[in-house]
Amino acid sequence: MPHPSEPADTAPSAAPPTAATGRIPEQPAPEEPAALPLRRSTEIQGDILAGFKKDHVHLLLLTFGDQAGARGWLERLVPRIATTREVAEFNLAFSRARQARSGLDPERHHALWRSVSLTHAGIVELIGGQPYRDVPRGTTQEAFQRGAALRGELLGDVGVNAPEHWLFGAAHHSPVHAVLTLAADGERELERALAQERAEAEEHGLAVAFEQPAGTLAGSLRGREHFGFKDGISQPGVADFDEPDPDDPDHQLGKPGTRIIPAGELVVGYPVDHRLTPELPEWMRDGSFHVVRRLAQDVPGWWGQISDQLARLKERKAVPPEATSEWLAARLMGRWRSGAPVNKHPDADPHTDPETESDNDIAYADDQHGRIVPLCAHLRKSNPRDGLLARPEDPEPVPLAGALDGRRIMRRGVPYGERFDPTGGPEHGPDAPRGLIFVSYQSDLSAQFEFVQRNWIDADAFPERPGRVGRDAVIGRDDEVSFPVHGSADDEMTTLTLRQFVRTEGAVYAFTPSRSALRRLAAGEIAPDDAPPVDREVSAPEVLRRGDVISSGKARLRYEADGDLRVRDEREEIVWAAGYTEGLSGRAEFWEDGRLVLVDAAGEALWSTPTEGASGAVLVVAADGDVLIRDADGEVLWRTDTGH
């Protein structure tokens, strides 16, 4: 499934003993390592880094009545919001108790969690105006302001996926101002909490725009999504939250293949890597952007298509005679049902035990043309790892070395609906609603979730190769995809015509504030952004990749898709350009020798400002619309003369 959900059978979560959580601990909460400060955060909401990981989940999508009512509701809610510290402590205690019981869930160890996020419209209602003034094109500020429905065409939400067919989040629905998530170990606990939350919302004039129940599937599908595959395996580790392996500090201890990424990729206000930090208001620190998408799954349709395509492949002698539907489905997913990666186990699923440890130590460097795992496989399209080439003709893969860290997201999805069982009654039938509530957290909507969806999953030419690749073979729209011919000596491909069996039925962009920010919003202490533009100063070294922008409001210095460097004004009109047209540059960089440079893939300068030798210089995108380089003594060495 798209960006699969965290499996609920890995370690549920909760909080310290309070009446609100209902936790009954079996042992004292273990101490967290002192070297992991984010595990003790009482500001960051608990689902972002620690993860709720509960069997029963319910989302309330709420519409505010008036500002006073909304603030009163939020003030009452804040004390019940789970923090990272609470959830992390419970998860660790639960995991240890589970190990002591030989893998059985500790029966008395339970909790109930709440988190809340606010849409752009919801924040506007709470503060009485815009949270930020500067909204450069292509940034997370723009994506959040416009919302998911207005980004539909960009993300492939067209045709049957279009907002006009959605159940929530589109213009013809009641506006969503807040997303309240409740997660619990027990159904009765969840129902009691839901009754309380519905009553408090009504008391403060809020209306329910949409409700979405969800939860872990039962029986053999526990920890899996509706197509039957183990879910939530390829999650990143997080610096200062997850313990690094002493022998390999780039990866998480005990989880081979799980890279540790900077915390700022997921939480606003912390260090990021390989991209610029979005310019957001200070009150957004310790928060994260929240994506919620309802993705319907046609289970019998998908497996029927697998059977049909297998028959066609056998007619063409493109697959081994012994190949089964499971064999083909695993290749299109990139994993077997157990979660075992196909690149390590190409012939059969090695595991039958649903409790098998997840394997995320995956590499594609030796399978660059998709002979084992097709290039269109969901696992490769959603996270290409070391399976990228700098150019289609390059013989060597691009080393990972963190280059994709800035595209990672934290997925917290969960299935909804009853499992498909044609003998189980109407609620289990082919037309019953079922699918995945895709949930992700990230610090940049545009550079992370939207980039992956637009440039990888929905792109028919990714990863770049001489021939056609096709869209994501599991969650993509109708398309033709390339599939390797088994046993051919030369990279021969055949074509599969795949129909879409995963459909978008609703989407919301929201922001998950810190607990302090929630209290300030409830108290009316956060005002609309009416501050005048200010200079943006950048010290070397700094890198701008495609679409990156440094903005003062009046001037927007952007490295653009065609490889040129341009300055645009607040209306996004070009007022200056480097004018580089001799070939596609690789990126723009501000060097420590004082130069602003366009470089090729090898880092060689293709164009630069005449400012070499100015060590300690700063690049200034000025509030008056000018862009300039100033030396350590304040003397202007170069400027675009675009100020006004």
Side-chain angles (χ1 to χ4, degrees):
M1 275 309 302
H3 314 302
S5 63
E6 184 82 7
D9 61 345
T10 54
S13 40
T18 69
T21 63
R23 171 187 171 190
I24 304 175
E26 293 187 347
Q27 59 189 40
E31 292 186 5
E32 301 287 0
L36 303 174
L38 288 183
R39 298 188 74 86
R40 301 190 298 276
S41 174
T42 57
E43 286 295 329
I44 302 169
Q45 291 197 44
D47 196 32
I48 300 169
L49 299 181
F52 288 170
K53 305 174 189 175
K54 293 301 184 189
D55 284 347
H56 306 283
V57 179
H58 201 103
L59 276 67
L60 292 174
L61 278 58
L62 300 167
T63 304
F64 296 156
D66 56 45
Q67 185 184 76
R71 288 178 176 178
W73 167 78
L74 192 57
E75 181 181 19
R76 292 268 291 273
L77 176 67
V78 171
R80 297 195 296 275
I81 297 299
T83 68
T84 295
R85 179 171 184 167
E86 293 170 337
V87 178
E89 285 181 353
F90 179 87
N91 285 357
L92 184 57
F94 183 96
S95 179
R96 290 178 177 176
R98 195 168 187 261
Q99 290 174 6
R101 290 168 55 87
S102 302
L104 295 176
D105 286 353
E107 295 178 359
R108 289 169 51 83
H109 208 90
H110 63 94
L112 186 144
W113 302 126
R114 294 170 176 84
S115 68
V116 67
S117 61
L118 304 166
T119 65
H120 185 272
I123 293 172
V124 169
E125 289 288 325
L126 280 169
I127 69 176
Q130 297 297 322
Y132 43 76
R133 292 181 56 182
D134 190 20
V135 188
R137 191 189 64 214
T139 61
T140 196
Q141 296 95 309
E142 180 191 42
F144 184 52
Q145 182 184 73
R146 290 179 61 79
L150 294 179
R151 310 289 277 184
E153 191 167 341
L154 181 74
L155 302 176
D157 285 334
V158 296
V160 296
N161 303 308
E164 64 199 68
H165 305 301
W166 289 2
L167 300 174
F168 62 87
H172 60 282
H173 299 124
S174 297
V176 176
H177 291 142
V179 179
L180 178 60
T181 300
L182 290 86
D185 294 303
E187 285 187 90
R188 284 181 294 180
E189 297 159 305
L190 182 62
E191 284 301 323
R192 286 195 294 269
L194 279 170
Q196 176 191 13
E197 297 303 341
R198 291 190 188 103
E200 288 214 357
E202 182 178 3
E203 178 185 340
H204 290 89
L206 280 70
V208 176
F210 190 80
E211 292 197 40
Q212 180 61 66
T216 303
L217 298 178
S220 62
L221 286 184
R222 182 173 175 80
R224 304 186 181 196
E225 47 74 46
H226 280 286
F227 290 154
F229 290 82
K230 194 168 184 178
D231 218 354
I233 300 171
S234 299
Q235 297 279 51
V238 183
D240 292 331
F241 181 85
D242 292 304
E243 190 170 359
D245 186 333
D247 298 324
D248 183 10
D250 289 337
H251 291 84
Q252 186 176 344
L253 181 65
K255 293 189 176 182
T258 298
R259 282 188 59 81
I260 291 181
I261 67 173
E265 302 297 341
L266 305 173
V267 183
V268 173
Y270 292 83
V272 299
D273 199 8
H274 298 284
R275 61 184 175 85
L276 295 175
T277 304
E279 280 295 307
L280 297 167
E282 60 81 23
W283 65 263
M284 285 187 159
R285 179 180 172 84
D286 287 316
S288 185
F289 288 99
H290 187 204
V291 175
V292 177
R293 288 164 69 83
R294 173 171 157 137
L295 303 174
Q297 294 175 259
D298 179 352
V299 176
W302 191 77
W303 280 104
Q305 173 169 253
I306 294 294
S307 179
D308 292 344
Q309 293 296 333
L310 179 64
R312 293 186 175 93
L313 288 170
K314 287 190 172 183
E315 288 175 3
R316 303 174 200 166
K317 302 188 184 318
V319 297
E322 66 274 15
T324 63
S325 291
E326 294 284 340
W327 182 94
L328 178 57
R331 273 161 169 71
L332 297 183
M333 185 69 75
R335 294 188 187 272
W336 296 93
R337 285 186 190 240
S338 70
V342 169
N343 72 309
K344 286 187 173 182
H345 308 281
D347 299 321
D349 193 338
H351 305 303
T352 56
D353 182 0
E355 298 294 322
T356 302
E357 278 295 313
S358 301
D359 187 348
N360 197 35
D361 191 10
I362 300 170
Y364 300 123
D366 295 330
D367 186 28
Q368 285 299 316
H369 296 284
R371 305 295 305 159
I372 300 173
V373 181
L375 298 172
C376 63
H378 173 64
L379 203 64
R380 293 191 79 150
K381 294 285 278 187
S382 59
N383 185 3
R385 295 174 170 84
D386 59 351
L388 298 181
L389 300 178
R391 294 180 300 274
E393 63 269 21
D394 286 351
E396 297 297 326
V398 176
L400 179 62
L404 302 182
D405 288 353
R407 307 302 183 192
R408 301 304 305 277
I409 59 179
M410 189 65 80
R411 289 159 289 113
R412 302 295 185 201
V414 61
Y416 71 90
E418 299 293 335
R419 62 184 297 165
F420 173 65
D421 179 359
T423 67
E427 68 273 19
H428 295 275
D431 298 324
R434 64 176 56 86
L436 181 79
I437 300 304
F438 167 78
V439 173
S440 72
Y441 295 99
Q442 51 275 298
S443 64
D444 192 317
L445 289 167
S446 177
Q448 292 170 278
F449 167 72
E450 288 193 343
F451 182 93
V452 171
Q453 181 68 26
R454 179 180 73 246
N455 295 73
W456 293 353
I457 289 172
D458 196 55
D460 58 19
F462 178 83
E464 293 183 7
R465 293 298 187 273
R468 179 184 178 84
V469 172
R471 297 189 180 101
D472 189 303
V474 176
I475 66 171
R477 294 181 285 148
D478 294 357
D479 201 12
E480 290 187 348
V481 304
S482 293
F483 193 85
V485 175
H486 181 77
S488 65
D490 51 358
D491 301 328
E492 181 184 352
M493 294 284 173
T494 187
T495 300
L496 299 182
T497 301
L498 299 180
R499 291 177 294 146
Q500 178 180 355
F501 290 100
V502 178
R503 186 178 70 255
T504 308
E505 291 190 331
V508 166
Y509 286 171
F511 183 75
T512 309
S514 68
R515 292 244 299 194
S516 290
L518 289 173
R519 286 191 287 267
R520 292 172 62 193
L521 287 164
E525 295 173 357
I526 295 176
D529 180 11
D530 58 0
V534 296
D535 290 355
R536 291 282 309 280
E537 294 190 2
V538 177
S539 299
E542 187 61 87
V543 176
L544 280 76
R545 289 171 174 81
R546 266 176 235 298
D548 281 351
V549 58
I550 304 170
S551 176
S552 68
K554 289 286 188 180
R556 293 166 180 173
L557 176 66
R558 182 183 286 113
Y559 179 58
E560 305 215 343
D562 63 0
D564 201 6
L565 190 66
R566 298 189 178 98
V567 176
R568 295 176 180 264
D569 63 17
E570 63 268 37
R571 297 179 297 277
E572 291 288 351
E573 295 178 358
I574 299 171
V575 293
W576 176 89
Y580 180 76
T581 59
E582 297 179 17
L584 193 62
S585 60
R587 57 193 178 274
E589 297 181 347
F590 183 46
W591 285 1
E592 291 178 340
D593 69 0
R595 286 185 291 171
L596 181 60
V597 186
L598 292 175
V599 303
D600 62 17
E604 296 296 323
L606 301 171
W607 171 95
S608 74
T609 56
T611 51
E612 186 175 5
S615 178
V618 294
L619 173 65
V620 182
V621 180
D624 66 358
D626 209 357
V627 176
L628 53 95
I629 294 174
R630 196 169 54 214
D631 69 14
D633 296 324
E635 181 182 350
V636 175
L637 306 177
W638 172 88
R639 68 192 327 147
T640 58
D641 288 321
T642 52
H644 56 277

